[in-house]
């Protein structure tokens, strides 16, 4: 069930250049049943910035009633958020949307997790869950450069991990797709999150017989009411079909959406 | 004592607070959060005859104290709105105001005729002011004579009272209000969004794919209050006021300006529980200020 | 390299940043804070033929992300503006844009004729859009034909180029712009304030004694940017853009929308050093983004 | 000279119901040469509340580069201000306007200081200065009720002090003017600050041969440029005369302004 809660900041730290990791505590955590879901949060108590910001859930600790998110401080909202300190409160709405189906990979199978930039965070909880049920995970993480990279060791602790940076300052030079191709990485299922151009390229790799991608779009309500975040389904004879990224997604089956 | 119950043409309202059209879909999503029967009414998303996908994304952008939207009247079309959405809404004890849109008179007439027959639709809201569709729409809302004629045609076929939603993007709002009053409107809802724009400094291009969009939220409240103040003094029609309402003080301000009832748009995105919260707070506010009924405050700023 | 110097009709600007009319008086107060010669230009407070006291107080109110004002064109009158204010301003190396107001054509013509003769007045800004005076003023700014005629009459007598200041309170801003272009305007300044209102919940009355006032500040920026975007594509006149500018990013946004130069109003109250600060930051911004001259960005959002 | 400075909060405390006393430190203090001047401050770093707020200077400590103000937390700005804590910064523009002329009272003379509500604060520094130069001060302070009263002891330490409350919960019941009349208080000069209705009544008392009053008005710029805060001079044949409260005032000679 969707809840709105004033959650308490447990910790916040800058883990890479302008990249923040924030852990929040509250009863809302009980409702998070799947990796890849997101929260819609008010970055400040003030009237401005007005709108909520959608941020993915990167790690869940049900026993502590905590979840962690990782975000880039860029505009007014995320910058305000980055000023919060342990003990402060954040108005969180969530959990929202449909996440990554862990059940799509069977124990013993291999899952290929491909993330780009701030699309990497939700793959972390996904990888933890997959590993818990005995799925082997291969991670391919793309970043702009070394300064912007994060969580590479955390992923490495869970499975084989490749890093690609645009400028080659960390891992291999190039895009995540270059890395997948170069190493001939394959899996039984792939999961991906990142910029749309990347997801498009990832779908074309056909690195697994089935896959799931997580999309981003500018949002109003975050719950499916305002039609701000629609996308076209791949199959749409009438031209009026649509999917809402906030409530039908953000995770869709590869091939389901016209990218 | 019931300080909030209100009778308006076609509408027996438990309270004068309702979500504004386009900010609440058809209620399904919000029904997960609270009981829709607590609302005074629901102004459903604009309905057109044929299904519409609307504009390309991005469709929303943030501005200082407000937001821009260019949804483009996306909706599943008259037939499905009646069969799926209005049918589903019947489980709630809440009168529906159906927001009707189109590109030409015939479209409006057709939608109005059919949708006004639906049992839980107690009033229509003629959307002659959507700034986000190219053909028609906005023209109906900026030319008095056109607005009057459209109102007349819709009145002829509608089985329920007709409220006309005014656009703030006009030189003379009173003239528009009088025109729709002449056309036979039973009430006015105001304001729709102001036309605005944001440019993305990185790309150098407009943030919205539709380029311009409708500005709403707290930033526009002074414009909305001013227009309600002017129109309420110059027409005899009841007014459902909106534009930047997010607190009980905002509701009181609209009431003092001359509004009978109050619609909440953008604030639903900031706090999805805002409507039921405001209903409770409004009751408390009136009690604390010894006001027996919300209507006592109406137009006090000019009376 | 000089990225900021700019030639506009009548104006050789060191840089394209200037305080907007009414938000800087005649410069005296700000001269205590910084050297006025650093400014691109100064748009002085509206001048009328006779001295005016203006409206009763309160004259200002705060709104979400903006403010309302209803000063009512207070000024010491043409004679004293020339003898005291413009004379005093001659000590600075800065071209003056004289904001000219009136209630009828003859007033404008008379002020324009005299004030345009003053040595440091390099251009006029016809204020046909002040929402805070009852007689005339606003009507000139909302009826295209009237605006055109007024422009023509003023052009006949003015010894310097004439910019016309457009009101955003119109249905069709492009039509207004084209009308003043037809009337012979040398440039456009936009936007003046949107008409708005706030009501005091304690008294139940409008906060401003004039009841309504002009809305300015960040809240109106999306409306201003949209109007600059539309007008710059439809006329050949240079545009001095304003409405909510308070950061260098805002200046870039107006430039991308189609403005040549930039005026700062309300932000002077928030930070009295904003003009010189923005001039320095604009230079840095252009350098950091490898832009050789501010004019390169002009209209990029639609080009 | 007028300066704009990010001053540091030295202390802040609630000294009566919703009445806060805040002390600020910074070089700007060097410029404050007269009691009754005010500062124009930005209550928050955020864009909203947008406008600065005018607040009187209640006490000056030049040696420590500190000044103190006393204000009522009421609307958005003053409420935001009241949340500041020691060590935080406040954007202050000042000192502004013309204050109370201490020189109008000669040593050995008696000054009558009459303040109402949040008009009381600037009288405190004034009283200190007057006492320093050997002027006897009589204070008449009016408040809504006991909870809203403040600084009564501080004033009592400087001279004879009368307190009036509307509901009689502290001092005498009634208005400041009632107290002046009842006790037949007189001085060589009076100084007053408070709501306009009070100032009007105070002027009519003629409790001293000369006097000075401090006015309030909603402000834009605070420095004399925007014409937001004008008032009519008492003598104004043309009807176009004006005085700006922010720069010609806020202190005027009694009788100078049409109230
Ligand atoms: C489902 C989903 C999950 C996300 N998860 C993460 C995450 O885990 N970590 C992270 O760093 N970012 C994530 N994002 C992107 C994040 O929402 C934006 O970076 C953020 O909203 C930008 O806000 P701002 O205040 O920095 O920027 P501003 O420029 O101030 O934002 C202005 C407006 O545009 C919207 N906006 C701007 N950029 C984006 C964007 N890329 N996507 C959606 N809306 C945008 C904002 O929400 C706001 O409404 C996610 C987005 C979605 C849709
Ligand atoms: C010269 C001068 C000295 C002052 N000294 C003090 C003082 O020492 N202590 C104190 O508590 N108050 C003082 N005031 C009043 C103080 O400025 C207002 O109480 C304050 O601005 C209200 O802001 P807000 O955020 O609480 O209210 P809001 O309602 O949010 O204010 C909205 C707008 O109205 C203005 N405003 C509202 N009330 C007043 C008012 N009474 N006077 C002027 N502007 C107002 C605000 O400045 C702001 O621009 C003084 C005013 C002036 C003009
Ligand atoms: C995302 C969004 C979609 C909207 N869609 C509609 C619509 O379909 N029909 C309509 O009449 N108004 C529509 N509006 C306008 C609102 O109903 C309302 O008039 C306006 O937003 C001002 O109120 P607010 O400031 O409370 O949002 C929409 C507004 C928003 C923000
Ligand atoms: C207090 C105040 C006084 C103004 N006086 C005038 C005026 O005399 N003449 C004029 O043309 N515009 C006047 N304006 C409008 C501004 O010049 C400007 O067009 C408007 O405020 C929008 O810009 P901003 O958002 O940067 O303030 C005034 C604005 C304010 C806030
Ligand atoms: S954000 Fe409102 S429908 Fe998705
Ligand atoms: S506040 Fe601007 S002139 Fe006084």
């Amino acid at each position: 069930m969707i809840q709105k809660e004033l959650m308490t900041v447990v910790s916040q730290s800058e883990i890479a250049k302008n990249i923040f990791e924030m852990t929040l505590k509250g009863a809302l955590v009980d409702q998070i049943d799947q990796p890849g879901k997101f929260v819609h949060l008010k970055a400040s108590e003030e009237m401005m910035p007005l709108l909520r910001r959608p941020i993915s859930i990167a790690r869940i600790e049900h026993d502590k009633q905590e979840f962690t998110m990782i975000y880039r401080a860029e505009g007014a909202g995320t910058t305000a958020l980055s000023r919060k300190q342990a003990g402060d409160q954040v108005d969180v709405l969530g959990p929202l949307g449909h996440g990554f189906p862990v059940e799509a990979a069977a124990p013993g199978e291999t899952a290929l997790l491909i993330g780009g930039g701030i699309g990497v965070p939700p793959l972390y909880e996904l990888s933890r869950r997959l590993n818990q049920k005995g799925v082997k995970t291969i991670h391919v993480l793309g970043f702009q450069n070394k300064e912007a990279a994060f969580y590479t060791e955390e992923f490495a602790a869970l499975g084989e991990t490749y890093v690609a940076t645009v400028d080659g300052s960390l891992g291999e030079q190039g895009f995540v797709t270059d890395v997948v191709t170069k190493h001939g990485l394959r899996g039984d299922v792939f999961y991906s999150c990142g910029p749309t151009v990347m997801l498009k390229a990832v779908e074309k790799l056909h690195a697994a017989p089935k896959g799931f991608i997580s999309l981003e779009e500018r949002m109003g309500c975050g719950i499916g009411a305002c039609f701000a975040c629609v996308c076209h389904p791949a199959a749409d004879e009438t031209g009026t079909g649509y999917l809402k990224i906030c409530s039908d997604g953000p995770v869709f089956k590869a091939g389901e959406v016209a990218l | 004592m019931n300080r909030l119950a209100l009778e308006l043409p076609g509408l027996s309202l438990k309270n004068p607070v309702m979500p504004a059209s386009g900010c609440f879909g058809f209620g399904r999503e919000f029904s997960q959060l609270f009981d829709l029967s607590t609302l005074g009414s629901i102004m459903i998303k604009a309905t057109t005859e044929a299904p519409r996908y609307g504009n390309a994304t991005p469709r929303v952008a943030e501005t200082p104290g407000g937001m821009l939207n260019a949804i483009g009247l996306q909706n599943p079309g008259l037939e499905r709105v009646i069969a799926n959405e209005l049918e589903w809404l019947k489980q709630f004890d809440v009168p529906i105001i159906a927001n009707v849109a189109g590109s030409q008179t015939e479209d409006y007439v057709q939608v109005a005729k059919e949708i006004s027959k639906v049992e839980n639709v107690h009033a229509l809201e003629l959307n002659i002011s959507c700034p986000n569709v190219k053909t028609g729409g906005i023209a109906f809302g900026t030319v008095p004579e056109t607005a009057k004629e459209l109102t007349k045609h819709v009145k002829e076929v509608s089985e329920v009272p007709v409220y006309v939603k005014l656009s703030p993007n006009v030189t003379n709002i009173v003239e528009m209000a009088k025109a729709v009053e002449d056309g036979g409107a039973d009430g006015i809802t105001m304001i729709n969004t102001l036309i605005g724009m944001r440019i993305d400094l990185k790309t150098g291009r407009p943030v919205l794919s539709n380029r311009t969009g409708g500005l709403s939220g707290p930033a526009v409240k002074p414009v909305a209050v001013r227009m309600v103040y002017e129109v309420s003094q110059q027409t005899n029609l009841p007014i459902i006021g909106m534009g930047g309402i997010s607190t009980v003080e905002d509701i009181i301000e609209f009431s003092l300006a001359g509004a009978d009832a109050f619609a909440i748009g953008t604030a639903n995105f900031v706090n999805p529980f805002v409507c039921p919260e405001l209903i409770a707070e409004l009751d408390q506010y009136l009690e604390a200020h010894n006001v027996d009924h919300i209507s006592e405050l109406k137009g006090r700023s000019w009376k």
Side-chain angles (χ1 to χ4, degrees), chain A, chain B:
Chain A
M1 230 195 58
I2 300 173
Q3 297 190 344
K4 182 163 106 51
E5 186 181 6
L6 273 182
M7 297 184 76
T8 304
V9 178
V10 174
S11 64
Q12 157 124 290
S13 59
E14 189 169 358
I15 57 171
K17 191 154 179 261
N18 290 330
I19 304 285
F20 289 78
E21 180 193 54
M22 180 189 259
T23 299
L24 291 165
K25 193 183 185 74
L28 187 151
V29 174
D30 299 347
Q31 307 293 330
I32 314 176
D33 54 1
Q34 205 187 22
K37 292 199 170 194
F38 69 101
V39 294
H40 210 29
L41 54 83
K42 188 93 177 75
S44 150
E45 299 72 44
E46 310 301 319
M47 194 183 277
M48 288 165 64
L50 186 72
L51 297 175
R52 289 174 178 269
R53 301 294 194 264
I55 304 284
S56 299
I57 295 163
R59 182 185 176 125
I60 314 163
E61 303 284 355
H62 277 119
D63 48 338
K64 296 197 218 161
Q65 283 201 321
E66 293 178 3
F67 81 85
T68 298
M69 38 187 215
I70 298 164
Y71 64 93
R72 179 160 58 217
E74 213 173 357
T78 50
T79 303
L81 194 64
S82 70
R83 291 205 205 96
K84 298 263 185 188
Q85 295 170 356
D88 287 349
Q89 295 196 304
V90 182
D91 175 351
V92 178
L93 182 73
L96 301 176
H98 292 89
F100 290 112
V102 178
E103 62 279 10
E109 286 190 334
T110 298
L112 193 55
L113 277 56
I114 308 172
I118 52 162
V120 168
L123 298 181
Y124 183 67
E125 178 65 24
L126 172 65
S127 181
R128 294 215 309 161
R129 299 271 182 122
L130 289 169
N131 278 284
Q132 267 164 30
K133 78 177 251 195
V135 177
K136 189 185 155 207
T137 56
I138 304 176
H139 316 109
V140 186
L141 313 177
F143 300 101
Q144 211 57 34
N145 52 43
K146 192 178 168 183
E147 286 75 51
F150 57 90
Y151 263 47
T152 51
E153 300 194 355
E154 283 83 348
F155 276 98
L158 293 169
E160 207 175 313
T161 299
Y162 299 84
V163 175
T165 51
V166 178
D167 67 355
S169 54
L170 187 74
E172 306 174 36
Q173 195 275 322
F175 298 115
V176 285
T177 43
D178 299 332
V179 172
V180 173
T181 310
K182 187 170 146 201
H183 298 273
L185 303 178
R186 307 255 325 146
D188 298 293
V189 50
F190 75 84
Y191 299 95
S192 188
C193 183
T196 308
V197 277
M198 183 197 101
L199 296 177
K200 217 164 163 168
V202 166
E203 279 198 354
K204 288 209 188 105
L205 286 174
H206 297 291
K210 58 184 172 185
F212 300 89
I213 57 168
S214 180
L215 299 182
E216 267 188 20
E217 189 48 81
R218 301 205 172 216
M219 295 187 173
C221 65
I223 60 173
C226 75
F227 294 92
C229 67
V230 298
C231 58
H232 285 283
D236 178 17
E237 308 85 45
T238 60
T240 60
Y242 62 90
L243 292 159
K244 294 175 190 161
I245 290 174
C246 67
S247 53
D248 298 321
V251 175
F252 296 95
K253 273 207 203 81
E256 187 181 359
V257 170
L259 290 180
Chain B
M1 186 166 24
N2 193 328
R3 303 176 192 88
L4 300 182
L6 198 75
E7 295 294 321
L8 292 182
L11 300 163
S12 276
L13 303 174
K14 283 192 213 69
N15 63 69
V17 179
M18 61 194 81
S21 178
C23 302
F24 206 76
F26 298 94
R28 281 186 196 268
E29 296 77 17
F30 287 87
S31 75
Q32 304 166 262
L33 303 180
F34 59 85
D35 178 6
L36 301 187
S37 303
T38 55
L39 298 170
S41 168
I42 298 174
M43 295 166 136
I44 57 171
K45 176 78 193 151
T47 299
T48 53
E49 199 175 354
R52 279 181 63 98
Y53 180 80
N55 298 316
T57 55
R59 292 177 169 189
V60 292
E62 197 176 50
T63 72
M67 68 175 283
L68 293 167
N69 89 80
I71 306 297
L73 298 183
Q74 175 154 20
N75 78 94
L78 178 62
E79 207 177 312
R80 274 189 278 175
V81 167
I82 294 178
N84 304 338
E85 308 303 337
L86 288 169
E87 192 55 38
W88 176 84
L89 277 165
K90 284 183 186 162
Q91 65 188 291
F92 301 102
D93 173 27
V94 60
I96 305 298
I97 302 179
N99 188 278
V100 171
S103 348
Q104 38 192 356
T105 308
E106 296 70 54
D107 303 344
Y108 282 96
V109 168
Q110 185 57 21
V111 177
K113 192 171 163 182
E114 297 305 323
I115 212 164
S116 68
K117 289 183 190 150
V118 181
E119 190 190 313
N120 52 345
V121 171
H122 291 216
L124 302 187
E125 180 181 40
L126 273 198
N127 182 355
I128 59 167
S129 49
C130 180
N132 300 323
V133 285
K134 296 270 136 46
T135 50
I138 191 84
F140 286 108
T142 54
V143 183
E145 194 54 32
T146 317
K148 177 178 159 185
E149 284 306 308
L150 181 70
T151 308
K152 240 190 215 162
H153 285 112
V154 169
K155 271 298 285 179
E156 276 162 18
V157 301
S158 177
E159 313 214 344
V160 294
V162 175
Y163 292 69
V164 181
K165 185 160 185 179
L166 300 186
S167 165
N169 303 290
V170 296
T171 308
N172 189 334
I173 191 79
V174 170
E175 198 186 3
M176 289 302 307
K178 285 187 166 164
V180 303
E181 187 172 30
D182 283 355
D186 299 284
I188 286 172
T189 66
M190 62 192 290
I191 59 172
N192 210 318
T193 52
L194 279 160
I195 309 174
M197 180 173 193
R198 270 203 54 193
I199 297 174
D200 185 326
L201 298 202
K202 279 195 207 130
T203 63
R205 295 275 146 188
V207 172
L208 300 176
S209 79
N210 188 51
R211 297 195 293 267
T212 61
L215 182 65
S216 62
V220 309
K221 197 185 63 166
V223 175
V225 169
R226 183 266 293 185
M227 290 185 165
V228 169
Y229 176 84
E230 290 176 349
V231 168
S232 64
Q233 293 178 68
Q234 303 280 329
T235 73
N236 295 311
L237 298 180
I239 295 175
I240 303 178
M242 71 193 93
I245 297 180
S246 62
T247 66
V248 68
E249 285 78 18
D250 296 336
I251 288 185
I252 302 298
E253 197 173 352
F254 272 82
S255 171
L256 294 166
D260 296 81
F262 317 94
I264 321 291
T266 304
N268 290 292
F269 305 158
V270 180
N271 172 10
F273 295 92
V274 68
C275 287
E277 283 175 15
L278 286 179
I279 292 165
E281 288 171 25
L282 181 57
D283 195 48
Q284 287 156 20
Y285 184 100
L286 297 180
E287 180 170 20
H289 290 76
N290 297 313
V291 181
D292 289 340
H293 194 270
I294 177 72
S295 59
E296 286 176 24
L297 300 180
K298 183 189 161 165
R300 276 268 186 98
S301 64
W302 48 264
K303 268 178 193 163

